[in-house]
Amino acid sequence: MSSLEIRHLKKSFGALKVTDDVSLDVRSGELHAIIGPNGAGKTTFISQLSGQLASDSGDILLDGQSIMRLSMPKRVHLGLARSFQITQVLPHFTVLENVAVAVQARSGSSFRFFSPVAGDAALNARAMAALGEAGLADRADVQASALSHGEHRRLELAIALATEPRVLLLDEPLAGVGGEDADAFVAGLARLKSRFTMVLIEHDMDAVFRLADRVSVLVYGRIIATGTPEEVRSDPQVRAAYLGEEEEEVA
Amino acid sequence: MTNLFVLQLLNGVQLGVLLFLIAAGLTLVFGIMDVVNLAHGVLYMVGAYLIATFAAATGSFWWGLALMLPAAVVVGLVLEWVVIRRLYARSHLDQVLATFGLVMIASEAVKIIWGVSPLAVPMPEILSGSVPLMGPLQYPVYRIAIIVAGLAVAAGLYVVINHTRIGMLLRAGATDRMMVSALGVDIGRLFAVVFTLGAVLACLAGALVAPILSVDTGMGESVLILTFVVVVIGGIGSIKGAFFGAILVALVDTLGGVFGPILLREVLDPAAAGQAGRMLAPMLVYILMALILFAKPAGMFGGRG
Amino acid sequence: MADATIPHAAPMRRPLAGRVKAAVVLFAIFAALPPVAAALDDPFFVLIGTRILAYAIAAMALDLILGYGAMVSFGHAAYLGFGTYAVAILSSYGVHDIFLQTAAAILVSALFALVTGAISLRTRGVYFIMITLAFGQMAFFFFISLSAYGGDDGYGLAQRSTLLGSDMLENDFALFYATLATLVALFWACHRIVGSRFGRVLTGIRENPTRMEAIGYSPFRFQLAAFVISGCMTSIAGVFLANQAEFVSPAFMSWHRSGELIVMVVLGGIGTLSGAIGGAVAALLLEEALGALTEHWRLWFGLFLVLMVLYSPNGIAGLVKQVANRGRKS
Ligand SMILES: Nc1ncnc2c1ncn2[C@@H]1O[C@H](COP(=O)(O)OP(=O)(O)OP(=O)(O)O)[C@@H](O)[C@H]1O
Ligand SMILES: [Mg+2]
């Protein structure tokens, strides 16, 4: 399993400092939750880690090696996978194909031009395994665009799993999922927990406190607290800034 | 040698100014409406045919020019209203197809209306003849007039873009379309105005060159591609880019054609230099484009890739 | 788990199978054309047929990047030009063998596509369209200035290409069937490519490039490879066009030609391969038919294009479906 170290990471959009000198250690094997109010910069942070967005300065180390200068695809090949807050799937592909193409990225060359890929049993088997873990195996043959919102979230997770990550970055996997569906999803995440190092962004506090080993709180692009769920829950600064109590005092 | 250089330099600037007039509208249409308009070169041709017709009917270049302008406004408005407006929300592929269709319709319609033989537009009396430049060197007054007129339009556009409300909307629209609609502006009207403005500028360019060029159905073609190069080099949506891009492309095109072979003669024997020069000259602009895009994929002044 | 994989081999192929069927029908009709033309004693049909087949190859090659890769290349006529001039130039040096000529065409096209594709693919959308157009014009002007081969006026071929040392292609029927065989072979190749690992990645990039990058693919390499493959295939069409016309000229590579190739692909429905073939047939027949009616056929063809875009976004295939649906409703 792998660790992720983030050193003085910065990112501005114009005058807006969205990631403001963030340093963070994600320990090997832990599930590290990041919480923060809307617009705090959580998605931006994940995008910087995954390489989708270039950082202004700072450093990101995966198992001690800097990955700052690597493109997003290269980072994926080192085992860094992300899911998206706003679902990104291949709409005209079937669910299985969506996942199989992710498996394919990590197994063998994709510069093979003639043998049919649809019948590649090895790829499909591994894709089905990932779908099974995300609880979507029974929908494998459906076109992705026909999935419900909850199913889209599961597919998003299955695709990330299929890239065989060592570190999994999940951006609000539960966004818009409610009720029993959410409970089942959380249970699914709990089962994955011991297998990957995970960074989980989530608004659902119940889920966060149930799943996380440690929690960091991001407000206006700064980490204002890091600790166990209990520590963070009782941190007065967090209560003030994030849980919305006594805003006057902080200001 | 110096004389030849000055002469070609002026020719280059004159071509550049014309290219700018055409490219200005095109870059706005691309930048603000995100529409690929292959039919923009057609407008240049139509401008030339309009002035040819009006000048012949009235017997005066100036009357021809004066009548051409409102006619160009009508052409722009109608084109926007009938076809272009329906393409805003469509894919680039659809836009390519539809405007490609427009090119076919327009060049054929021009053939039907005006015939295939080229038309000539008489040069206005006071602008004919040449002025001495330096030593024995003479330069046609009319070409100088084109340069002056083009620069005046460029200056006018500069003022409009940088110091008026509509200019502000245009600048905002070229970089961020959402923002303009967020400002509560009637986007449909803004687009119609921009398109028509571009159409009039292209027609004007066509009208201005009419006296020194034979007016024929192929004239839109050659210029369209050069204009594309200008827009791409300058950066889509950037008037400033269109200006510097136009001058650069025109200078490379005119000077390269003449001085390329001369320079090549330094390294090759004359016959080979002549041959290589003739082959390279028409390609220079595209090589320039490739180099600029390799360094800056969004063009010299382009924000968006 | 393993047993679950077996049924999944099917779904991606099922729609493909339909496309193959459509193509096979088209091929069968083509194959029957020469005997019919012979019976009607009108060899001109065979020449037109050869021309249509050659354009079908080009349109299909373009569909590979336009339909499956979402790359709107507006400079593909350049590759037609490379094919035609490979025949003309080599044959002027006494090299008549069609395989050598084709190899030369492919080599030049691969180089040109590699360089111009690498630059063009650094950009997106409108830029990509205009840059490919400009590079196409660059090639066009190069051949215009090639005075040894007639420049603007073009260059007549002394003879057609030879096949394995025989001059059988001088026979129009033989040339027709050689072109048809090439189309069938290339269709098969495209069909395999589309269904391969590579094809799946290419299509995925069309669907959602961000997603593909997030699972570890760099779109650029795949798009460039497809661009090169497509360019090379298009140049093969050029080899046959030169033989059909026994004449080459820069007109084969004007930007209008590039536009017409796009029209063909869209007419038949993009991203279907067989659609591009059907589109080539439809566009060229329409051209011939309008041309027989009026010398101003371009006006009507243009009008047809504009109306098609405005009222039938999915091409003729879409139009047929629309009409069929309406018929069912009433
Ligand atoms: N590409 C961009 N350009 C300019 N500003 C941006 C861009 N992306 C994000 N922002 C701004 O950066 C800030 C942080 O956005 P981000 O999406 O990272 O927040 P978030 O914490 O993920 O919010 P949410 O909880 O709503 O998902 C917001 O103010 C947003 O408007
Ligand atoms: Mg977010």
Side-chain angles (χ1 to χ4, degrees):
Chain A
M1 242 172 290
S2 301
S3 67
L4 203 57
E5 294 161 61
I6 296 110
R7 301 266 171 269
H8 304 292
L9 203 62
K10 290 188 185 169
K11 177 79 194 174
S12 301
F13 291 118
L16 185 67
K17 286 183 183 169
V18 180
T19 305
D20 190 3
D21 200 11
V22 168
S23 294
L24 187 69
D25 279 344
V26 180
R27 295 173 195 151
S28 180
E30 79 170 335
L31 193 158
H32 197 116
I34 295 177
I35 60 174
N38 285 326
K42 305 182 294 293
T43 297
T44 305
F45 181 58
I46 292 283
S47 295
Q48 287 174 269
L49 295 186
S50 68
Q52 192 187 357
L53 272 180
S55 300
D56 296 342
S57 63
D59 204 359
I60 305 166
L61 308 171
L62 178 64
D63 290 331
Q65 286 211 312
S66 174
I67 54 169
M68 269 295 277
R69 309 203 144 271
L70 300 183
S71 66
M72 175 150 69
K74 291 226 175 79
R75 294 185 198 189
V76 176
H77 283 279
L78 290 179
L80 195 63
R82 75 167 290 183
S83 77
F84 292 89
Q85 180 177 1
I86 297 166
T87 310
Q88 301 273 359
V89 298
L90 310 172
H92 295 104
F93 280 38
T94 66
V95 168
L96 180 74
E97 286 162 359
N98 263 282
V99 183
V101 75
V103 175
Q104 182 185 320
R106 294 295 301 272
S107 75
S109 169
S110 285
F111 282 94
R112 281 199 230 151
F113 297 91
F114 282 105
S115 49
V117 66
D120 190 326
L123 283 190
N124 289 346
R126 281 161 65 189
M128 281 309 292
L131 279 175
E133 278 177 316
L136 208 54
D138 53 332
R139 302 285 276 163
D141 292 340
V142 177
Q143 188 167 304
S145 58
L147 293 183
S148 71
H149 177 76
E151 289 170 335
H152 265 130
R153 302 310 300 161
R154 290 175 182 278
L155 178 54
E156 189 69 37
L157 177 66
I159 293 172
L161 289 175
T163 64
E164 298 182 1
R166 295 188 290 166
V167 177
L168 199 51
L169 311 171
L170 299 176
D171 192 357
E172 300 201 27
L174 286 164
V177 183
E180 286 177 24
D181 241 12
D183 291 339
F185 211 123
V186 172
L189 289 178
R191 276 197 297 280
L192 294 175
K193 204 178 130 170
S194 50
R195 293 177 28 209
F196 311 99
T197 305
M198 281 160 88
V199 175
L200 171 71
I201 290 179
E202 194 43 71
H203 272 304
D204 182 335
M205 286 305 136
D206 287 345
V208 167
F209 291 125
R210 242 164 80 200
L211 289 169
D213 300 309
R214 290 195 303 155
V215 179
S216 288
V217 183
L218 190 70
V219 179
Y220 293 128
R222 293 172 162 274
I223 300 260
I224 60 166
T226 295
T228 63
E230 290 71 34
E231 285 165 7
V232 165
R233 213 191 316 227
S234 54
D235 185 309
Q237 214 189 340
V238 173
R239 295 184 78 88
Y242 179 53
L243 302 174
E245 297 176 7
E246 297 154 323
E247 278 188 41
E248 309 280 52
E249 265 182 34
V250 178
Chain B
M1 185 75 171
T2 343
N3 285 356
L4 182 62
F5 182 76
V6 171
L7 209 63
Q8 291 301 332
L9 193 68
L10 281 170
N11 281 344
V13 171
Q14 183 242 299
L15 176 64
V17 157
L18 284 173
L19 280 180
F20 167 70
L21 287 183
I22 311 170
L26 196 62
T27 202
L28 286 179
V29 170
F30 281 141
I32 296 181
M33 310 172 195
D34 200 24
V35 169
V36 189
N37 181 17
L38 298 174
H40 201 72
V42 162
L43 294 164
Y44 167 78
M45 170 182 72
V46 166
Y49 272 98
L50 285 177
I51 200 169
T53 309
F54 291 134
T58 59
S60 147
F61 171 86
W62 299 110
W63 273 112
L65 188 63
L67 289 171
M68 183 281 299
L69 287 171
V73 171
V74 172
V75 169
L77 280 176
V78 168
L79 197 56
E80 201 271 346
W81 190 59
V82 175
V83 180
I84 305 293
R85 152 171 315 198
R86 296 159 192 258
L87 297 175
Y88 295 145
R90 305 293 285 275
S91 69
H92 289 145
L93 185 57
D94 283 347
Q95 296 166 355
V96 163
L97 285 171
T99 56
F100 184 56
L102 284 180
V103 171
M104 294 178 112
I105 296 174
S107 33
E108 212 57 38
V110 165
K111 271 183 207 157
I112 295 173
I113 300 172
W114 283 287
V116 284
S117 43
L119 305 183
V121 173
M123 194 166 290
E125 198 57 43
I126 50 165
L127 296 180
S128 55
S130 301
V131 287
L133 277 186
M134 32 192 269
L137 192 63
Q138 303 257 322
Y139 201 71
V141 179
Y142 189 79
R143 286 179 183 265
I144 293 176
I146 289 184
I147 295 177
V148 172
L151 290 179
V153 172
L157 268 182
Y158 178 83
V159 172
V160 169
I161 298 271
N162 290 300
H163 299 285
T164 65
R165 181 177 145 77
I166 189 154
M168 183 210 63
L169 291 176
L170 293 186
R171 272 179 295 140
T175 45
D176 186 355
R177 232 161 307 140
M178 301 299 282
M179 192 176 114
V180 176
S181 33
L183 289 175
V185 174
D186 180 347
I187 285 286
R189 280 252 297 284
L190 180 69
F191 281 9
V193 168
V194 170
F195 185 85
T196 307
L197 176 71
V200 170
L201 290 177
C203 284
L204 178 65
L208 289 181
V209 282
I212 53 172
L213 228 68
S214 73
V215 178
D216 65 36
T217 51
M219 66 185 287
E221 311 267 298
S222 48
V223 112
L224 173 73
I225 314 287
L226 273 188
T227 313
F228 276 4
V229 174
V230 166
V231 168
V232 169
I233 286 182
I236 290 178
S238 165
I239 294 277
K240 192 161 95 185
F243 185 78
F244 290 110
I247 301 291
L248 185 63
V249 163
L251 286 180
V252 166
D253 201 37
T254 30
L255 295 181
V258 179
F259 293 98
I262 296 177
L263 288 179
L264 280 175
R265 226 170 284 159
E266 304 284 316
V267 284
L268 296 171
D269 72 87
Q275 173 71 12
R278 264 195 306 284
M279 304 233 298
L280 275 178
M283 293 167 60
L284 274 182
V285 196
Y286 303 101
I287 296 169
L288 171 77
M289 176 192 77
L291 290 178
I292 289 183
L293 288 179
F294 196 77
K296 298 197 74 178
M300 296 189 299
F301 299 96
R304 286 184 296 149
Chain C
M1 267 306 149
D3 58 320
T5 65
I6 296 154
H8 300 302
M12 189 149 172
R13 280 183 176 165
R14 226 174 281 128
L16 283 180
R19 281 162 208 176
V20 173
K21 235 177 258 167
V24 168
V25 171
L26 278 169
F27 295 151
I29 296 174
F30 273 124
L33 183 81
V36 172
L40 294 174
D41 202 21
D42 195 345
F44 192 57
F45 272 137
V46 176
L47 270 182
I48 294 183
T50 308
R51 182 159 163 263
I52 292 178
L53 287 171
Y55 276 109
I57 293 175
M60 186 178 69
L62 179 59
D63 192 29
L64 197 61
I65 56 168
L66 183 69
Y68 293 90
M71 290 174 262
V72 183
S73 166
F74 208 139
H76 247 49
Y79 302 100
L80 282 182
F82 296 148
T84 54
Y85 276 91
V87 174
I89 293 175
L90 283 182
S91 101
S92 79
Y93 285 100
V95 179
H96 300 293
D97 183 71
I98 194 164
F99 290 111
L100 285 177
Q101 291 171 341
T102 306
I106 289 178
L107 195 70
V108 172
S109 299
L111 276 176
F112 188 77
L114 203 61
V115 174
T116 64
I119 295 172
S120 310
L121 283 169
R122 286 163 61 84
T123 66
R124 295 269 156 278
V126 180
Y127 278 94
F128 184 83
I129 298 174
M130 292 201 289
I131 292 163
T132 48
L133 172 59
F135 280 129
Q137 284 303 103
M138 178 171 122
F140 174 73
F141 284 121
F142 175 81
F143 284 100
I144 281 198
S145 61
L146 208 58
S147 43
Y149 292 90
D152 220 349
D153 299 327
Y155 181 83
L157 296 184
Q159 63 167 89
R160 283 186 179 160
S161 306
T162 57
L163 180 62
L164 303 171
S166 130
D167 63 356
M168 61 194 279
L169 295 181
E170 294 292 346
N171 179 305
D172 289 344
F173 282 47
L175 180 65
F176 178 91
Y177 281 115
T179 317
L180 178 59
T182 308
L183 173 64
V184 172
L186 290 179
F187 172 78
W188 178 81
C190 285
H191 177 69
R192 292 301 288 250
I193 290 174
V194 165
S196 72
R197 279 177 161 240
F198 176 82
R200 182 181 266 179
V201 175
L202 185 67
T203 323
I205 293 165
R206 171 194 77 189
E207 296 266 302
N208 186 341
T210 306
R211 166 41 79 199
M212 295 303 278
E213 283 186 74
I215 55 177
Y217 296 102
S218 308
F220 179 81
R221 300 164 55 206
F222 294 92
Q223 291 178 314
L224 185 58
F227 193 80
V228 171
I229 293 172
S230 170
C232 293
M233 276 194 192
T234 310
S235 74
I236 299 177
V239 169
F240 286 101
L241 270 182
N243 276 296
Q244 185 266 353
E246 297 180 63
F247 174 76
V248 304
S249 96
F252 281 113
M253 47 207 314
S254 79
W255 70 273
H256 292 209
R257 198 68 55 173
S258 296
E260 280 161 23
L261 288 179
I262 296 180
V263 170
M264 291 171 189
V265 176
V266 176
L267 266 186
I270 65 170
T272 57
L273 298 180
S274 53
I277 300 174
V281 176
L284 292 171
L285 286 184
L286 186 65
E287 207 176 292
E288 293 286 340
L290 288 174
L293 290 176
T294 157
E295 67 170 303
H296 300 298
W297 62 272
R298 278 172 204 281
L299 180 81
W300 300 106
F301 197 89
L303 200 61
F304 166 75
L305 269 186
V306 174
L307 292 177
M308 185 191 74
V309 172
L310 293 186
Y311 297 105
S312 172
N314 296 319
I316 287 191
L319 197 65
V320 170
K321 230 178 262 172
Q322 242 172 318
V323 171
N325 283 344
R326 213 165 286 165
R328 220 168 291 144
K329 260 179 231 155
S330 56

